Amino acid sequence: MTALLIRSLLFSLVLLNAASLACAQPATPKRWKQAAIGVTRAGTEIPVWLNSGAGNPKSQRNRMVVIGGHDGSTASTNFVQQLVERANTSKPNPNNGTAFIPKVFPDGLSTDLALTAGKGYPPGKGFYDDAAQPEPRYLWRWVGMYGATLVVDVRAGKTPGYWASEHADADQLAKLLAATPFTNKIEAPPADDFVRQLAEKGVEDVGRVPTLLLHVSSPVAAPEVEAIAKLLASFTPSKSPAWDEIIWRERRTPEQIAASLATVYGHDLKQVAYIPALAVIGRQRIAVELNDQKEQESLKQLLAPFLEGEKSPVPKSGSEHAGHLLFAELAKRSEGKDRERWIELCRAAADQIFDKDGKPLKLMPSHNEMSDAVFMATPILCATGKLTGEQKYFDAAVGHFRSMKKLCVREDGIYRHSPLDEAAWGRGNGFPALGLAWALSEFPEDHPAHGELKKEFQNHIAALLKHQDSFGCWHQVIDKPGSYREFSSTCMIGWALKRGIDRGWLDKGTHQPALDQAWLAAKHRIGPKGKVVDICTGTGKMRSLRDYYDRPAIWGVDARGGAMALMFSTEMMDGTK
């Protein structure tokens, strides 16, 4: 009895030790990690699985997207999920940049909508505020910007089969699918089907992508999954105009991008507000960089009415306060009476922070309690202080910033847009990043508050880096990955990173990778003829997270997006030679 008890105890100890060792073993790392391409009306993120190279199209010639659930079927979703599991346990392939979107409609589809799922492309409007189905909008633009070499759309069918678009390399597909359950060719889908529109017309100005439509069994059959897993591992992609376009954009220099943008933006100054003013600043920087005398003469004529006194704008809004940064930049390049005139115009904005007795107000008028005001007021105050040598402007800038911090900085270091809601709007964080970096550029190091402002800038950047996505972007709502990748905030934060690294406020080793990825993302989203991708329209104080999700995203020529693109590209010129 005693011997039996001892053996039993020893056996239990062995099992316990084995279990402990098993628990101590690190889990096999997953090479594909979950992110999001969008968000449903219910607030559910639309999942996507990406590998580590997703943000660098140039490094991955096999850059495919596999989509499930487009038809609302459980079978297609399960099929793609099984492909994800296989990808995570297969031998690593550095050229394989396949992204998996298992469930386009994570909240499900009603019966009537399921009948039309996959059709009605391209979406004509509603990016990304469509009241019924934002999911197709998110999918359409996300796939377009991925730079895919092949898109595979998996749907449930009566029998397994496939349809391939014209440029999907039908011969190679036929060979790879021979002796598999997918030997049957199915009829071409309707002209407005996702796979037809993507292959025949493409997304906006990015270009066409070869497509493959698969019909799979319900329930999922293992041989079918095995066949497609092998296809994804061995398929050599054919020509993809979308991939070619993305790579062409990536290869451009900052000077080339800025020069192209300057043909579209920076030619209008009817209102001295921040959007046209920043565009003019960017246009002037590239004209000087390239020693373009014709451009410089054109700019001289544009600015002459302000220099000669025909126009003496007095700001009536925060946007116009920031617009006067143009005059500060011009003052730096000028001498004598010209310099005095530009400084006079700077004072017209900066002096509004003082009351009738010359005492600084806690906040610049027109702040509207929005985080935008960190940029709208702080830099022009600091720039005017540097130009005049008067400390009162620096002191007022510090007071203004401290008041804005109390209103808008959250405990996690990110800015809420306003006290109306906790949502961390993308551009509502781009403004403080850009604003503090610009202000520090003008701020004297021997001022008692210099260290404070620098630390606030560093803290904000550190908080923002946690939310930069795999592609280098920041999103419409900074800490909500399902919100769309927002272009202007990415440019503004990228500009701040570049300035911070160059001036020594940010450690290069820590921050250069984030800057490199942000610049790559911006290059991908700056197209020909001044077109830019997914800029949030003008936005005031919103009352809910949903309000920020629903702010329209512009793809095309956009003054705000173009100005920020010019600022970022001209900032990136420094140190590129």
Side-chain angles (χ1 to χ4, degrees):
M1 184 73 177
T2 304
L4 182 62
L5 180 60
I6 291 172
R7 284 199 301 271
S8 178
L9 287 171
L10 287 172
F11 183 67
S12 297
L13 287 171
V14 169
L15 288 177
L16 182 62
N17 187 48
S20 299
L21 287 172
C23 292
Q25 296 299 315
T28 303
K30 292 185 176 181
R31 295 192 300 278
W32 269 258
K33 295 183 179 180
Q34 187 173 342
I37 69 165
V39 64
T40 70
R41 294 305 303 177
T44 306
E45 291 184 352
I46 306 168
V48 60
W49 291 87
L50 303 168
N51 71 4
S52 59
N56 188 4
K58 191 176 178 180
S59 69
Q60 299 175 328
R61 195 60 185 92
N62 286 23
R63 194 168 172 83
M64 295 173 274
V65 179
V66 183
I67 300 166
H70 210 164
D71 57 351
S73 70
T74 302
S76 63
T77 292
N78 290 343
F79 191 97
V80 176
Q81 286 175 335
Q82 289 188 32
L83 289 175
V84 175
E85 292 169 7
R86 284 174 172 267
N88 268 322
T89 56
S90 63
K91 184 179 179 180
N93 180 354
N95 289 321
N96 191 334
T98 304
F100 299 93
I101 304 171
K103 198 170 186 178
V104 175
F105 298 98
D107 293 335
L109 275 175
S110 61
T111 303
D112 58 329
L113 289 176
L115 293 173
T116 60
K119 302 175 181 63
Y121 284 91
K125 56 183 179 179
F127 294 91
Y128 297 91
D129 58 340
D130 187 80
Q133 280 192 317
E135 294 93 335
R137 278 85 181 161
Y138 282 112
L139 178 69
W140 183 248
R141 285 192 179 176
W142 192 95
V143 169
M145 286 308 305
Y146 190 70
T149 53
L150 179 72
V151 170
V152 182
D153 196 337
V154 180
R155 303 178 194 175
K158 293 181 180 179
T159 57
Y162 76 95
W163 171 88
S165 67
E166 181 181 356
H167 299 289
D169 197 341
D171 291 341
Q172 183 185 181
L173 285 170
K175 289 179 182 178
L176 290 171
L177 294 173
T180 76
F182 294 97
T183 55
N184 179 47
K185 290 186 178 181
I186 59 179
E187 290 184 6
D192 67 342
D193 194 279
F194 174 80
V195 292
R196 286 278 302 274
Q197 285 293 313
L198 190 59
E200 295 170 11
K201 295 185 178 179
V203 179
E204 300 288 346
D205 49 76
V206 175
R208 295 173 286 108
V209 182
T211 56
L212 175 65
L213 175 62
L214 291 178
H215 280 182
V216 300
S217 300
S218 180
V220 175
E224 295 177 26
V225 177
E226 178 71 20
I228 300 307
K230 288 182 178 179
L231 182 146
L232 295 176
S234 55
F235 183 73
T236 302
S238 53
K239 182 177 177 60
S240 168
W243 188 85
D244 292 341
E245 173 68 19
I246 293 295
I247 298 305
W248 173 80
R249 294 182 182 189
E250 184 176 324
R251 288 172 176 158
R252 295 171 297 172
T253 66
E255 291 82 1
Q256 289 172 330
I257 293 172
S260 175
L261 289 166
T263 65
V264 179
Y265 303 106
H267 296 260
D268 172 29
L269 204 54
K270 293 183 179 69
Q271 180 191 16
V272 183
Y274 87 89
I275 294 173
L278 293 187
V280 173
I281 291 172
R283 184 185 168 206
Q284 185 165 56
R285 286 191 70 181
I286 186 62
V288 171
E289 176 72 14
L290 300 179
N291 194 26
D292 189 329
Q293 297 299 318
K294 184 177 179 181
E295 270 288 271
Q296 291 183 53
E297 180 59 31
S298 174
L299 284 159
K300 184 177 179 181
Q301 292 178 17
L302 179 68
L303 296 164
F306 302 96
L307 180 62
E308 295 166 5
E310 295 176 22
K311 294 183 179 180
S312 296
V314 177
K316 297 178 181 178
S317 67
S319 178
E320 292 181 349
H321 287 134
H324 280 56
L325 284 168
L326 169 60
F327 303 133
E329 292 297 302
L330 293 168
K332 294 176 185 178
R333 301 171 180 270
S334 305
E335 297 178 348
K337 291 185 177 181
D338 288 358
R339 177 181 168 86
E340 291 176 8
R341 171 58 180 166
W342 297 132
I343 292 174
E344 178 187 352
L345 290 171
C346 291
R347 287 186 187 272
D351 284 350
Q352 290 189 15
I353 201 168
F354 301 109
D355 65 17
K356 61 181 181 180
D357 297 320
K359 295 181 180 179
L361 304 171
K362 288 185 177 180
L363 285 162
M364 178 72 89
S366 303
H367 60 84
N368 293 327
E369 296 187 321
M370 296 192 299
S371 59
D372 313 32
V374 176
F375 168 73
M376 300 303 177
T378 318
I380 188 60
L381 289 169
C382 294
T384 306
K386 187 172 183 178
L387 289 167
T388 62
E390 297 179 35
Q391 183 166 325
K392 67 177 184 179
Y393 293 107
F394 298 117
D395 295 342
V398 173
H400 172 82
F401 171 76
R402 287 171 178 167
S403 297
M404 287 308 309
K405 178 184 175 182
K406 290 179 181 178
L407 284 171
C408 295
V409 178
R410 303 189 327 192
E411 288 186 5
D412 59 1
I414 298 172
Y415 285 70
R416 64 178 69 85
H417 188 209
S418 85
L420 278 182
D421 189 77
E422 287 298 298
W425 179 44
R427 198 157 59 242
N429 278 268
F431 278 127
L434 176 64
L436 272 181
W438 201 316
L440 281 168
S441 303
E442 312 289 349
F443 208 85
E445 292 188 5
D446 59 355
H447 189 286
H450 181 272
E452 174 190 345
L453 292 185
K454 184 170 74 170
K455 186 63 176 176
E456 292 293 341
F457 172 68
Q458 292 168 337
N459 289 344
H460 186 214
I461 293 296
L464 288 171
L465 290 191
K466 298 175 184 177
H467 300 287
Q468 187 181 29
D469 74 9
S470 299
F471 300 93
C473 292
W474 281 271
H475 287 232
Q476 166 67 357
V477 182
I478 291 290
D479 55 347
K480 299 296 181 183
S483 63
Y484 62 85
R485 293 172 286 176
E486 206 282 319
F487 178 77
S488 66
S489 58
T490 299
C491 288
M492 296 159 88
I493 297 167
W495 188 98
L497 282 167
K498 181 67 163 67
R499 182 62 61 96
I501 292 169
D502 287 350
R503 300 295 174 95
W505 311 321
L506 299 175
D507 174 68
K508 185 172 183 177
T510 302
H511 296 88
Q512 189 67 44
L515 171 60
D516 292 342
Q517 203 63 30
W519 176 233
L520 189 64
K523 287 196 289 184
H524 291 163
R525 288 159 179 77
I526 300 171
K529 300 179 181 179
K531 291 184 178 180
V532 284
V533 178
D534 280 355
I535 303 92
C536 176
T537 190
T539 299
K541 288 192 286 189
M542 300 285 107
R543 294 185 176 274
S544 70
L545 174 61
R546 171 51 63 185
D547 289 338
Y548 288 100
Y549 280 153
D550 287 350
R551 296 304 293 160
I554 300 163
W555 183 322
V557 173
D558 176 73
R560 181 181 286 102
M564 294 307 176
L566 253 176
M567 289 299 296
F568 193 15
S569 57
T570 53
E571 190 72 10
M572 289 300 295
M573 292 189 309
D574 295 342
T576 60
K577 289 187 176 180

